[in-house]
Amino acid sequence: MVLKAELHCHVEGAASPALVEKKAAKYGADVSAFIIDGKFVWHDFTSFLRAYDQASALFRTEEDYADLSEDYLLSLAKQDAIYSEVFISTDHAISAGLSPRAYIEGLAEGMHRAKAATGIESRMIATGLRHKGPDAVMQAAKYIADNPHPLVSGFGMAGDERMHHPEDFARAFNVARDAGLGITVHAGELSGWESVANALDALKPSRIGHGVRAIENPDLVRRLADEQILLECCPGSNISLQVYADFPSHPFPVLAKAGVPVTLNSDDPPYFHTDLTREYEIAAEFFGCDDDTLTEITRTALKAAYIDETTQNSLLERLNTDKTVSA
Ligand code: ADE
Ligand code: ZN
């Protein structure tokens, strides 16, 4: 048994179609535009974001969000995950008519419930949405800087990478960094290596969401290895969104061999027909990872986690202990 950890999953994107249908029944909403035969339907990044926004709009109360984080973390714990960082989006809460405070309290309640039931540890990474522009991302950063929560430990940016330049968001990221939050940013998924280089220069993250298209520039790959910038890789998502044609073409193993820290993540699991277990299976099947290498990937994730040192050490200890027992 390989213990797992996840650093890159959007909590709204983790809502199963069954849970979304349950919320739709509660609110008398019609989901037939984006759920068919129990599956989310979309055909490109833009329609994926639309389906994602429509599903998110059905989470409207603190309890809806407690259900969501509890449901996801319980499913992760069943997959032998011991740690999870989920991206949250105060923009989605506001769009659904919920205050950011109630949103975060609800998510935290679900996280506490899942921890009490299974021991799974988790944190939230607040995000701004790039396609909403610099002012909206600044608002998201300011909210989280002015309203610290013990379970919110990072700040990032998701959304459409093809819009705006990372420099446009530098001030927002400075606000988040000054508040002591860990910094990650989506780059090098829909756009090429320059997007990763620009994000590194402008926003100074310790991790990049995806980042895989750094492979297009060997100097950049060396920079990632030298500076030990971690890439939160999501191979199943990349294939679903056709960033790469198939798993054998995915750069994960080449990046790992070049010394870039890489981890495995599910991104938006039901949208991309994946989960964390499947991502570890993909790495075993297509990237040549044996159980020891997979455990090392979990260790890499824990070492790069946005978490206090005491909790981090106890998670690393758990990984070491479980490994010794199974060896
Ligand atoms: N938001 C949710 N999933 C995303 C992805 N794969 N890329 C960018 N933004 C996202
Ligand atoms: Zn993502």
Side-chain angles (χ1 to χ4, degrees):
M1 184 257 289
V2 173
L3 292 181
K4 304 178 181 73
E6 182 167 67
L7 300 180
H8 187 128
C9 177
H10 302 260
V11 78
E12 281 84 4
S16 67
L19 184 60
V20 172
E21 282 174 330
K22 193 170 137 193
K23 298 300 171 190
K26 175 175 169 186
Y27 295 115
D30 177 14
V31 295
S32 61
F34 60 97
I35 299 181
I36 296 177
D37 293 336
K39 294 197 172 101
F40 291 119
V41 285
W42 53 273
H43 60 274
D44 58 11
F45 187 75
T46 304
S47 63
F48 152 69
L49 277 189
R50 199 179 315 123
Y52 180 102
D53 287 347
Q54 286 170 314
S56 305
L58 297 170
F59 292 81
R60 299 180 180 174
T61 66
E62 196 168 323
E63 185 53 32
D64 287 343
Y65 273 102
D67 277 354
L68 174 51
S69 56
E70 181 185 17
D71 190 67
Y72 182 57
L73 291 170
L74 291 180
S75 83
L76 264 191
K78 273 200 203 119
Q79 299 171 61
D80 302 317
I82 58 172
Y83 182 66
S84 156
E85 277 174 19
V86 289
F87 291 123
I88 66 167
S89 160
T90 45
D91 286 276
H92 281 91
I94 292 165
S95 296
L98 185 64
S99 73
R101 185 176 305 278
Y103 172 70
I104 290 171
E105 286 303 332
L107 289 165
E109 169 60 23
M111 291 162 71
H112 287 308
R113 284 185 207 156
K115 183 172 174 181
T118 67
I120 190 165
E121 193 69 64
S122 59
R123 294 292 184 272
M124 293 177 252
I125 299 178
T127 60
L129 299 172
R130 185 161 174 162
H131 50 270
K132 293 211 161 199
D135 290 349
V137 174
M138 176 58 98
Q139 244 186 323
K142 270 198 182 137
Y143 176 80
I144 226 66
D146 293 345
N147 298 273
H149 187 284
L151 294 183
V152 179
S153 59
F155 183 77
M157 183 163 66
D160 197 330
E161 181 191 354
R162 298 165 294 193
M163 296 171 73
H164 304 284
H165 190 281
E167 275 171 9
D168 302 339
F169 303 99
R171 284 178 49 245
F173 276 77
N174 285 341
V175 166
R177 187 180 300 99
D178 290 349
L181 296 164
I183 299 294
T184 177
V185 56
H186 282 59
E189 177 196 24
L190 306 172
S191 303
W193 70 268
E194 296 93 337
S195 175
V196 178
N198 291 338
L200 287 176
D201 291 340
L203 307 176
K204 300 175 185 55
S206 63
R207 304 184 339 213
I208 295 270
H210 300 284
V212 283
R213 292 188 56 189
I215 198 71
E216 295 161 12
N217 181 325
D219 288 339
L220 180 58
V221 172
R222 258 189 300 279
R223 177 179 177 189
L224 293 171
D226 287 350
E227 296 180 15
Q228 288 291 286
I229 305 289
L230 178 139
L231 302 187
E232 303 154 4
C233 294
C234 313
S237 158
N238 293 158
I239 302 312
S240 242
L241 284 167
Q242 300 181 326
V243 176
Y244 296 101
D246 50 30
F247 291 117
S249 320
H250 196 281
F252 185 97
V254 183
L255 290 162
K257 192 147 182 268
V260 180
V262 284
T263 64
L264 293 162
N265 305 276
S266 67
D267 206 8
D268 304 284
Y271 289 87
F272 302 140
H273 316 293
T274 191
D275 58 20
L276 192 56
T277 297
R278 174 73 190 131
E279 298 299 322
Y280 275 65
E281 280 168 7
I282 290 165
E285 192 177 339
F286 297 100
F287 307 154
C289 298
D290 61 16
D291 279 3
D292 282 348
T293 312
L294 293 173
T295 301
E296 208 46 51
I297 290 169
T298 302
R299 185 171 290 108
T300 299
L302 294 176
K303 285 184 175 167
Y306 299 145
I307 196 163
D308 62 280
E309 210 175 307
T310 308
T311 314
Q312 184 180 49
N313 284 338
S314 81
L315 288 163
L316 286 165
E317 186 55 34
R318 188 161 165 210
L319 194 63
N320 292 338
T321 315
D322 275 43
K323 187 141 184 2
T324 317
V325 170
S326 65

Coordinates of all heavy atoms in Angstrom, one line a residue, residues 8 10 13 45 48-49 52 87 92 129 131 157-161 186 189-190 210 234 237-238 241 267-268 272, ligand 1:
H8 N -2.9 19.5 -5.4 CA -3.6 20.3 -6.4 C -4.9 19.7 -6.8 O -5.0 18.8 -7.6 CB -2.6 20.4 -7.7 CG -3.1 21.3 -8.8 ND1 -2.3 22.2 -9.3 CD2 -4.3 21.3 -9.4 CE1 -3.0 22.9 -10.3 NE2 -4.2 22.3 -10.4
H10 N -9.0 21.3 -7.1 CA -10.0 22.4 -6.9 C -11.2 21.9 -6.2 O -11.9 20.9 -6.7 CB -10.4 23.0 -8.2 CG -9.2 23.5 -9.0 ND1 -8.8 24.8 -9.0 CD2 -8.3 22.8 -9.7 CE1 -7.7 24.9 -9.8 NE2 -7.4 23.7 -10.2
G13 N -14.2 21.6 -8.2 CA -14.0 20.6 -9.3 C -14.0 19.2 -8.7 O -13.9 18.3 -9.5
F45 N -11.6 23.6 -22.9 CA -11.3 24.3 -21.7 C -12.4 25.3 -21.3 O -12.9 25.3 -20.2 CB -10.0 25.0 -21.7 CG -9.6 25.5 -20.3 CD1 -9.2 24.7 -19.3 CD2 -9.7 26.9 -20.0 CE1 -8.9 25.2 -18.0 CE2 -9.4 27.4 -18.8 CZ -9.0 26.5 -17.8
F48 N -15.5 23.4 -20.3 CA -15.2 22.8 -19.0 C -15.4 23.9 -17.9 O -16.1 23.6 -16.9 CB -13.8 22.3 -18.9 CG -13.2 22.2 -17.6 CD1 -13.7 21.4 -16.6 CD2 -12.1 23.1 -17.2 CE1 -13.2 21.4 -15.3 CE2 -11.6 23.1 -15.9 CZ -12.1 22.2 -15.0
L49 N -14.8 25.1 -18.1 CA -15.0 26.1 -17.0 C -16.5 26.5 -16.9 O -16.9 26.8 -15.7 CB -14.2 27.4 -17.4 CG -12.7 27.4 -17.0 CD1 -12.2 28.8 -17.3 CD2 -12.4 27.0 -15.6
Y52 N -18.2 23.7 -14.9 CA -17.6 23.9 -13.5 C -18.3 25.0 -12.8 O -18.7 24.9 -11.6 CB -16.1 24.2 -13.7 CG -15.3 24.3 -12.5 CD1 -14.4 23.3 -12.0 CD2 -15.2 25.6 -11.8 CE1 -13.6 23.5 -11.0 CE2 -14.4 25.8 -10.8 CZ -13.6 24.7 -10.3 OH -12.8 24.9 -9.2
F87 N -7.7 23.8 -3.5 CA -7.9 25.2 -3.9 C -9.3 25.6 -3.6 O -10.2 24.8 -3.9 CB -7.6 25.3 -5.4 CG -6.2 25.1 -5.8 CD1 -5.8 24.1 -6.8 CD2 -5.2 25.9 -5.3 CE1 -4.5 23.9 -7.1 CE2 -3.9 25.7 -5.7 CZ -3.5 24.7 -6.6
H92 N -16.2 32.1 -6.4 CA -17.4 31.1 -6.6 C -18.4 31.3 -5.5 O -19.6 31.2 -5.7 CB -16.9 29.7 -6.8 CG -16.4 29.4 -8.1 ND1 -15.0 29.6 -8.5 CD2 -17.0 29.1 -9.3 CE1 -14.9 29.3 -9.7 NE2 -16.0 29.0 -10.3
L129 N -9.0 34.1 -9.8 CA -9.3 33.6 -11.1 C -8.7 34.5 -12.2 O -9.2 35.7 -12.3 CB -10.8 33.4 -11.3 CG -11.5 32.4 -10.3 CD1 -13.0 32.5 -10.5 CD2 -11.0 31.0 -10.5
H131 N -8.9 34.8 -15.4 CA -9.8 35.4 -16.4 C -10.7 36.5 -15.9 O -11.3 37.2 -16.6 CB -10.6 34.3 -17.2 CG -11.3 33.4 -16.2 ND1 -10.8 32.2 -15.7 CD2 -12.6 33.4 -15.7 CE1 -11.6 31.6 -14.9 NE2 -12.7 32.3 -14.9
M157 N -3.4 31.1 -8.2 CA -4.3 31.6 -9.2 C -4.6 30.5 -10.2 O -3.7 29.8 -10.7 CB -3.6 32.8 -9.9 CG -4.5 33.4 -11.0 SD -3.8 35.1 -11.5 CE -2.3 34.6 -12.3
A158 N -5.9 30.3 -10.5 CA -6.3 29.3 -11.5 C -7.0 30.1 -12.6 O -6.8 31.3 -12.7 CB -7.3 28.3 -10.8
G159 N -7.8 29.4 -13.4 CA -8.5 30.0 -14.5 C -7.7 30.0 -15.8 O -6.8 29.3 -15.9
D160 N -8.2 30.9 -16.7 CA -7.7 30.8 -18.1 C -6.3 31.5 -18.2 O -6.2 32.7 -18.3 CB -8.7 31.4 -19.1 CG -8.4 31.0 -20.5 OD1 -7.2 30.8 -20.8 OD2 -9.3 30.9 -21.3
E161 N -5.3 30.7 -18.3 CA -3.9 31.1 -18.4 C -3.6 32.0 -19.7 O -2.6 32.7 -19.7 CB -3.1 29.9 -18.4 CG -1.6 30.0 -18.4 CD -0.9 28.7 -18.7 OE1 -1.6 27.6 -18.7 OE2 0.3 28.7 -18.9
H186 N -1.1 28.5 -11.4 CA -1.2 27.7 -12.6 C -0.5 28.4 -13.8 O -0.7 29.5 -14.1 CB -2.7 27.7 -13.0 CG -3.5 26.7 -12.2 ND1 -3.7 26.8 -10.9 CD2 -4.3 25.6 -12.6 CE1 -4.5 25.9 -10.4 NE2 -4.9 25.1 -11.4
E189 N 0.1 25.1 -18.7 CA -0.9 24.0 -19.0 C -1.5 24.3 -20.4 O -1.3 23.5 -21.3 CB -2.0 24.1 -17.9 CG -3.1 23.1 -18.1 CD -4.3 23.4 -17.3 OE1 -4.5 24.6 -16.9 OE2 -5.2 22.5 -17.0
L190 N -2.2 25.4 -20.5 CA -2.8 25.8 -21.8 C -1.8 26.6 -22.6 O -2.0 26.7 -23.8 CB -4.0 26.6 -21.5 CG -5.1 26.0 -20.6 CD1 -6.2 27.0 -20.3 CD2 -5.7 24.8 -21.2
H210 N 0.6 22.6 -12.6 CA 0.9 22.0 -13.9 C 2.4 22.3 -14.2 O 3.3 21.5 -13.8 CB 0.0 22.5 -15.0 CG -1.4 22.1 -14.7 ND1 -1.9 20.8 -14.9 CD2 -2.5 22.9 -14.3 CE1 -3.2 20.8 -14.6 NE2 -3.6 22.0 -14.2
C234 N -0.6 17.0 -13.1 CA -2.0 16.4 -13.1 C -2.1 15.7 -14.5 O -2.8 16.2 -15.4 CB -3.1 17.5 -13.0 SG -2.8 18.7 -11.7
S237 N -5.7 15.0 -16.0 CA -6.3 16.3 -16.5 C -5.6 16.7 -17.8 O -6.3 17.1 -18.8 CB -6.0 17.4 -15.4 OG -6.1 18.6 -15.9
N238 N -4.3 16.6 -17.9 CA -3.6 17.0 -19.1 C -4.1 16.2 -20.4 O -4.2 16.8 -21.5 CB -2.1 16.9 -19.0 CG -1.5 17.8 -18.0 OD1 -0.4 17.6 -17.5 ND2 -2.2 18.9 -17.7
L241 N -7.7 17.3 -21.3 CA -7.8 18.6 -21.9 C -6.9 18.7 -23.2 O -6.7 19.7 -23.8 CB -7.4 19.7 -20.9 CG -8.4 20.1 -19.9 CD1 -7.8 20.9 -18.8 CD2 -9.6 20.8 -20.5
D267 N -6.6 17.4 -9.9 CA -7.1 18.6 -10.4 C -8.6 18.8 -10.2 O -9.0 19.5 -9.4 CB -6.7 18.7 -11.9 CG -6.5 20.1 -12.4 OD1 -6.6 21.1 -11.6 OD2 -6.4 20.3 -13.7
D268 N -9.4 18.2 -11.1 CA -10.9 18.2 -11.0 C -11.4 16.8 -11.3 O -11.9 16.6 -12.4 CB -11.4 19.2 -12.0 CG -10.8 20.6 -11.9 OD1 -11.2 21.3 -11.0 OD2 -9.9 20.9 -12.7
F272 N -12.4 15.0 -15.2 CA -11.3 14.4 -16.0 C -11.3 12.9 -15.8 O -10.3 12.3 -16.2 CB -10.0 15.1 -15.6 CG -10.0 16.6 -15.8 CD1 -9.4 17.4 -14.9 CD2 -10.6 17.2 -16.9 CE1 -9.4 18.8 -15.1 CE2 -10.6 18.6 -17.1 CZ -10.0 19.4 -16.2
Ligands
ADE1 N1 -9.7 25.6 -12.6 C1 -10.1 24.4 -12.4 N2 -9.4 23.5 -13.1 C2 -8.4 24.2 -13.7 C3 -7.4 23.9 -14.6 N3 -7.1 22.6 -15.0 N4 -6.7 24.9 -15.2 C4 -6.9 26.2 -14.8 N5 -7.9 26.5 -14.0 C5 -8.7 25.6 -13.4

